[in-house]
Amino acid sequence: MKNIVILGSTGSIGTQTLDVVRKSKEFQVIGLTCYNNIDLIKQQIDEFNPKFVAVKDKSSAKKLKEMVDTNTVILSGDDGINEVASLSNVQTVVVAIEGIAALIPTIKAIETGHDIALANKECLVTGGHIIKKLAIEKNINIFPVDSEHNAIYQCIQSGKKEFVNKLIITASGGPFRGKTLNDLKSVTVEEALNHPNWKMGKKITIDSATLMNKGFEVIEANWLFDMPLEKIEVVVHKESIIHSMVEFIDGSIIAEMATADMRIPIQYALNFPNRVYVEGVRYLDIAKIASLSFEKPDVNTFRCLQLAYDALREGGTMTTVLNTADEVAVQLFLERAISFNDIPCIIEKYMNSHKNIINPELNDIIEVDKEIREKIKREYMR
């Protein structure tokens, strides 16, 4: 059996990963982590019997210790999460923690020599140069879990990397596809969270509505597949049936198609190079698909995508500013402190005022993240 650790086991990807584990019987869960959802992680402990569990919130960890009557070791805080990420006798660490909080645990896991099943975007957005270099040094694999990058990973298997001409990342367009800036002035949190195709966490759902999600995915693709920006294209594909495509130099385009079920890319990342059917996953009925549509994204209305392009061109800590400003702005929107259209305005403001560090160390990234986070909170939090 393959021993795995899941960082962020109580979130959307974490729970779906455990569903894959539950139905495949090929994996042993060695460690789990969460932020503070101790009721759910207690259920996971009872079912999967991990050796170690870490809860970031220390008071919640203390409560969990009182609830658990197994031999599972309960750890707490950042140190606890880093310890679980670094456990020995583990083959794969699934990184499903949201936000830049996943960066250091991911680095710790790679340093220990674990393969990574990466569901977190912010690691590569902020520290792609560090993670990529370390992965090469440690000779480990990074298997993308995001449906788009997982699709690209699958498509690239059909040809040699040197024959790839372009990556084509598909976007559903979110709930506001076709809307104008004026239409978006008064959108509510509930409307923004109503994604037409995918069920995801709140942060990533809002990022999908602003198209920042696609911007992050462009930056990720740059690091995962060593592709420059000019060879990465985003197209809006409202049906979410083709999850991404790869164009080769002979003009051939290979596309990965499937139903919108994250358990498909999760099982691929965990089982590569094998494939396993996960009970409950629906097969795609090609005959019932009336049409597939594609259009260019509207970067004037959805400026977050253009800001991501700009940040990637600048490089350095500019992508950290992009990420942190977005993370805080999205939280402010969810708390109804700002409007939907304020999100790109806040991000652009802090990108424009940032003094870029071209080749940042890990400490530089952490400090920039802290600085931008504090500045935005001081200005906008009531």
Side-chain angles (χ1 to χ4, degrees):
M1 296 182 75
K2 180 183 285 189
N3 292 337
I4 66 170
V5 162
I6 304 173
L7 306 179
S9 66
T10 59
S12 175
I13 295 297
T15 54
Q16 290 180 87
T17 300
L18 286 172
D19 191 46
V20 170
V21 170
R22 179 184 296 116
K23 292 172 178 176
S24 72
K25 310 298 183 183
E26 297 293 325
F27 305 98
Q28 176 67 46
V29 177
I30 302 299
L32 300 172
T33 78
C34 74
Y35 183 78
N36 64 1
N37 191 345
I38 56 175
D39 291 331
L40 179 52
I41 208 164
K42 169 64 165 61
Q43 295 174 28
Q44 295 173 351
I45 291 170
D46 291 342
E47 180 177 0
F48 296 99
N49 193 29
K51 293 181 180 179
F52 295 88
V53 164
V55 180
K56 183 176 175 67
D57 181 70
K58 292 184 178 181
S59 63
S60 297
K62 186 177 180 181
K63 292 176 184 176
L64 181 63
K65 286 181 181 180
E66 298 170 355
M67 297 163 60
V68 172
D69 55 6
T70 67
N71 293 325
T72 299
V73 177
I74 308 299
L75 305 170
S76 65
D78 291 330
D79 289 342
I81 290 174
N82 292 337
E83 185 173 339
V84 172
S86 308
L87 291 172
S88 60
N89 195 29
V90 169
Q91 284 74 55
T92 302
V93 174
V94 180
V95 181
I97 297 174
E98 280 191 355
I100 198 172
L103 179 57
I104 293 178
T106 302
I107 290 173
K108 295 292 184 182
I110 296 172
E111 287 176 340
T112 311
H114 303 324
D115 283 344
I116 304 296
L118 187 62
N120 171 280
K121 300 179 185 303
E122 292 82 0
C123 285
L124 292 177
V125 170
T126 62
H129 61 297
I130 295 173
I131 287 177
K132 191 65 183 286
K133 180 182 177 184
L134 190 60
I136 293 170
E137 289 175 358
K138 294 294 181 178
N139 194 30
I140 63 96
N141 298 300
I142 298 178
F143 298 111
V145 171
D146 271 357
S147 61
E148 295 82 3
H149 301 99
N150 190 276
I152 292 170
Y153 196 94
Q154 293 187 53
C155 292
I156 285 180
Q157 305 306 311
S158 65
K160 293 181 179 179
K161 180 182 172 184
E162 57 263 35
F163 297 149
V164 174
N165 186 53
K166 182 170 63 175
L167 308 181
I168 305 169
I169 299 175
T170 57
S172 68
F176 305 132
R177 183 182 60 85
K179 301 292 186 183
T180 66
L181 272 175
N182 193 57
D183 295 331
L184 299 177
K185 281 183 179 179
S186 58
V187 300
T188 65
V189 171
E190 291 74 21
E191 289 170 335
L193 288 173
N194 187 27
H195 195 283
N197 301 334
W198 294 94
K199 292 182 179 179
M200 306 175 288
K202 289 183 178 181
K203 165 64 164 58
I204 194 172
T205 303
I206 301 301
D207 282 343
S208 180
T210 65
L211 290 195
M212 180 59 88
N213 199 37
K214 288 305 125 180
F216 286 159
E217 288 170 9
V218 169
I219 298 172
E220 284 183 274
N222 168 255
W223 291 112
L224 284 169
F225 306 110
D226 296 315
M227 281 288 157
L229 177 57
E230 58 270 18
K231 287 185 173 289
I232 305 172
E233 180 182 353
V234 173
V235 295
V236 175
H237 168 55
K238 66 180 181 179
E239 294 85 3
S240 292
I241 290 173
I242 294 178
H243 298 296
S244 276
M245 298 171 265
V246 174
E247 180 184 82
F248 290 91
I249 58 174
D250 62 354
S252 299
I253 294 179
I254 307 297
E256 191 268 341
M257 304 170 67
T259 53
D261 190 327
M262 283 304 300
R263 292 174 298 177
I264 296 173
I266 289 169
Q267 70 77 24
Y268 185 82
L270 290 179
N271 290 292
F272 183 86
N274 300 319
R275 294 175 183 267
V276 176
Y277 174 71
V278 178
E279 183 183 348
V281 169
R282 291 185 301 105
Y283 288 109
L284 191 64
D285 189 341
I286 296 293
K288 288 186 178 180
I289 300 172
S291 64
L292 298 175
S293 63
F294 305 94
E295 60 190 75
K296 289 185 178 295
D298 179 359
V299 293
N300 293 317
T301 299
F302 298 95
R303 288 167 46 231
C304 284
L305 180 56
Q306 183 61 54
L307 292 172
Y309 293 157
D310 296 342
L312 179 55
R313 288 191 185 96
E314 289 283 330
T317 49
M318 193 59 73
T319 54
T320 298
V321 176
L322 175 85
N323 174 78
T324 305
D326 175 70
E327 191 173 316
V328 180
V330 167
Q331 187 58 42
L332 288 169
F333 172 69
L334 288 170
E335 294 171 357
R336 306 173 200 274
I338 63 171
S339 72
F340 184 81
N341 282 348
D342 285 334
I343 294 174
C345 295
I346 291 173
I347 297 166
E348 186 171 26
K349 175 181 177 180
Y350 283 90
M351 284 178 62
N352 288 341
S353 63
H354 179 61
K355 188 175 181 181
N356 198 14
I357 303 170
I358 298 301
N359 294 303
E361 301 290 338
L362 179 58
N363 284 341
D364 295 322
I365 294 169
I366 293 169
E367 285 302 313
V368 168
D369 172 72
K370 181 180 178 182
E371 175 191 347
I372 298 299
R373 197 175 297 275
E374 289 176 351
K375 282 183 177 179
I376 298 175
K377 286 181 178 179
R378 278 199 305 269
E379 182 172 355
Y380 291 94
M381 283 192 168
R382 301 187 180 103

